Amino acid sequence: MMYNQITTAVVGTGFIGPVHVEALKRLGVNVKGILGSTPDKSEVSRKAMALQVAYDSFEDILADDEVNAVHLAVPNILHYSLAKKAIAAGKHVMCEKPLAMNSEETQELVMLAEASSVITGVTYNIRFYPMNLEARSRIRKDSAKNTYSVVGSYVQDWLMYDTDYNWRVLADKGGELRAVADIGTHWIDLICFITGLEVESIFADLSIVHPVRKRPKGEIATFTGKNNDEVDREDVEIVTDDCGSILFRFKGGAKGQLWVSQVSAGRKNCLQYDISMRDSSLRWNSESPNELIIGHRNEPNQVLLKDPSLTGTVAQHFINYPGGHNEGFPDTFKQCFRSFYDKILGIETAGALYPTFMDGHKEVLICEAILKSHRKEKWIHINQL
């Protein structure tokens, strides 16, 4: 494969930046260097991941003629400005979600990307579990499988206590929506990707379980899973959602329901959906990602295991191991980037399935509708924004 023809730099040294680096290396992309929030963090990460360069600034990346693409794995508030600069410099951009803080910014980024020659994408990686690709193929190829309802959830417990803290809980750092924007948008993107449905209107009811959280006076790592009582803390007011329920009306008449939570004990990172169609249903759970349950009424249900000899050609392209050899979360990033770099290289084996800036823009529009619906306690049509 020709992925080593591309040289990339990653921006961000927190939880997700190294995930990008590892996935890109496994794919065969040349990851030249990384940029952290300080030169020291850049250097520590460069050494840890055996990279060539610890960049001092984003401008240094843009000035590096060897770098063809940049991956943005930084706090949400930085996405817009960095993506805009990268496009202007002629670099391909893969950005973590959300694409930007509001739809005005995302619309501008879409227009800038369309007017340029660069390829741009958003990291909605959950699309690339092979069984989700298989579900998409099964629904899309059979017009008789009319989808009429989709229900599901995305739940975690890493913010369950009032002493759990991360920059994402702050509206000025992550945006006015948190649980919905951080994980709920993954579910929404996935459902629209699989079914082809488009959200028409929304009714949302959100909750703040901890209106005050106890922020450590000092830095603390994300997803540590530790609740250290000895840490010196200060109270901080929280206005972002911990959990909530959202009803969807899709164009064409289908209905949907999502429960999203970052305060549900025992669920570390669990996304589920149940897609009901005229003659069958499809069920999937990210905690058992290599199984797709096909439901029937008049015959036994089926459990399809991830196996390239049993799936369609699209899923086969994004499966690297034989049946019985599980592929999981890190593999979804590799396969998402595979689709993205296939587009850059002009390889169209399975089509351009990666999420685009337009997909990222639509997700932000939906988030704005969700927030407006919650505040007004009414249905909001997407076009009413």
Side-chain angles (χ1 to χ4, degrees):
M1 197 58 76
M2 300 178 288
Y3 301 118
N4 60 4
Q5 297 177 10
I6 301 174
T7 298
T8 296
V10 174
V11 186
T13 59
F15 164 65
I16 209 66
V19 173
H20 281 239
V21 172
E22 189 269 344
L24 288 165
K25 281 189 168 185
R26 290 174 60 204
L27 187 59
V29 174
N30 175 31
V31 185
K32 183 174 181 179
I34 193 165
L35 172 65
S37 57
T38 67
D40 286 345
K41 287 185 177 181
S42 298
E43 178 59 19
V44 168
S45 294
R46 182 200 69 79
K47 289 181 178 178
M49 291 177 276
L51 302 178
Q52 181 182 346
V53 178
Y55 290 100
D56 290 331
S57 69
F58 191 60
E59 286 67 31
D60 288 344
I61 292 176
L62 300 183
D64 190 336
D65 292 335
E66 291 185 356
V67 173
N68 311 115
V70 295
H71 284 235
L72 304 179
V74 293
N76 304 349
I77 197 169
L78 299 175
H79 291 178
Y80 166 73
S81 61
L82 298 189
K84 186 175 179 178
K85 290 177 181 178
I87 293 171
K91 309 291 188 185
H92 305 295
V93 183
M94 174 57 71
C95 182
E96 273 293 332
K97 48 76 195 160
L99 177 57
M101 297 288 279
N102 58 63
S103 59
E104 288 79 14
E105 292 179 348
T106 57
Q107 179 66 63
E108 182 182 354
L109 290 177
V110 169
M111 294 175 64
L112 290 172
E114 290 177 346
S116 74
S117 60
V118 303
I119 306 301
T120 55
V122 183
T123 316
Y124 286 111
N125 58 294
I126 298 177
R127 291 184 178 194
F128 287 89
Y129 281 103
M131 303 321 292
N132 287 332
L133 294 170
E134 178 66 13
R136 182 181 191 270
S137 294
R138 286 171 177 259
I139 289 177
R140 297 296 185 98
K141 75 179 181 180
D142 190 346
S143 60
K145 290 184 177 294
N146 294 325
T147 301
Y148 62 86
S149 79
V150 184
V151 298
S153 61
Y154 198 159
V155 294
Q156 301 172 330
D157 70 359
W158 71 287
L159 291 171
M160 191 178 78
Y161 301 119
D162 65 356
T163 51
D164 292 325
Y165 179 81
N166 178 268
W167 62 263
R168 291 171 177 82
V169 305
L170 301 179
D172 62 343
K173 296 290 192 300
E176 294 180 286
L177 284 178
R178 188 231 309 153
V180 170
D182 189 29
I183 59 176
T185 53
H186 271 294
W187 188 92
I188 299 167
D189 174 79
L190 180 62
I191 293 307
C192 293
F193 173 72
I194 289 175
T195 64
L197 294 172
E198 294 183 60
V199 178
E200 184 173 71
S201 55
I202 284 168
F203 190 98
D205 183 20
L206 310 179
S207 296
I208 301 173
V209 175
H210 299 298
V212 175
R213 287 184 180 269
K214 302 182 185 302
R215 174 170 57 191
K217 293 182 178 179
E219 194 165 327
I220 190 167
T222 303
F223 302 127
T224 60
K226 296 179 180 179
N227 189 24
N228 191 343
D229 293 332
E230 298 179 0
V231 174
D232 191 17
R233 299 177 183 273
E234 59 185 358
D235 288 349
V236 57
E237 183 180 358
I238 301 300
V239 298
T240 58
D241 51 304
D242 287 313
C243 59
S245 180
I246 306 164
L247 298 177
F248 297 88
R249 291 173 179 163
F250 297 100
K251 293 180 181 179
K255 305 295 173 63
Q257 182 177 358
L258 166 65
W259 170 254
V260 60
S261 172
Q262 293 180 316
V263 291
S264 296
R267 290 297 194 182
K268 306 308 177 185
N269 191 51
C270 181
L271 184 154
Q272 302 180 77
Y273 62 72
D274 193 328
I275 302 172
S276 295
M277 298 166 289
R278 179 183 299 171
D279 60 351
S280 63
S281 66
L282 296 175
R283 298 193 295 276
W284 183 80
N285 183 327
S286 66
E287 293 184 339
S288 304
N290 292 278
E291 299 178 0
L292 180 66
I293 299 175
I294 306 166
H296 303 284
R297 173 174 171 174
N298 296 320
E299 58 185 282
N301 294 338
Q302 299 170 285
V303 179
L304 176 63
L305 298 180
K306 187 225 69 176
D307 187 327
S309 68
L310 300 175
T311 66
T313 56
V314 173
Q316 287 171 5
H317 182 70
F318 296 97
I319 297 175
N320 284 137
Y321 299 96
H325 298 75
N326 288 340
E327 295 173 70
F329 178 79
D331 300 282
T332 64
F333 285 87
K334 183 183 74 171
Q335 303 299 0
C336 180
F337 301 157
R338 179 193 299 275
S339 179
F340 180 67
Y341 285 102
D342 279 354
K343 179 67 174 181
I344 293 173
L345 292 168
I347 302 170
E348 298 290 348
T349 304
L353 300 177
Y354 68 91
T356 65
F357 269 21
M358 179 56 76
D359 293 320
H361 172 57
K362 290 178 180 178
E363 292 297 318
V364 172
L365 283 174
I366 291 170
C367 282
E368 290 177 347
I370 289 170
L371 187 60
K372 186 174 182 179
S373 172
H374 168 68
R375 288 174 173 172
K376 291 185 173 292
E377 297 185 335
K378 60 183 291 187
W379 280 94
I380 297 297
H381 196 284
I382 296 297
N383 293 336
Q384 291 178 344
L385 294 175

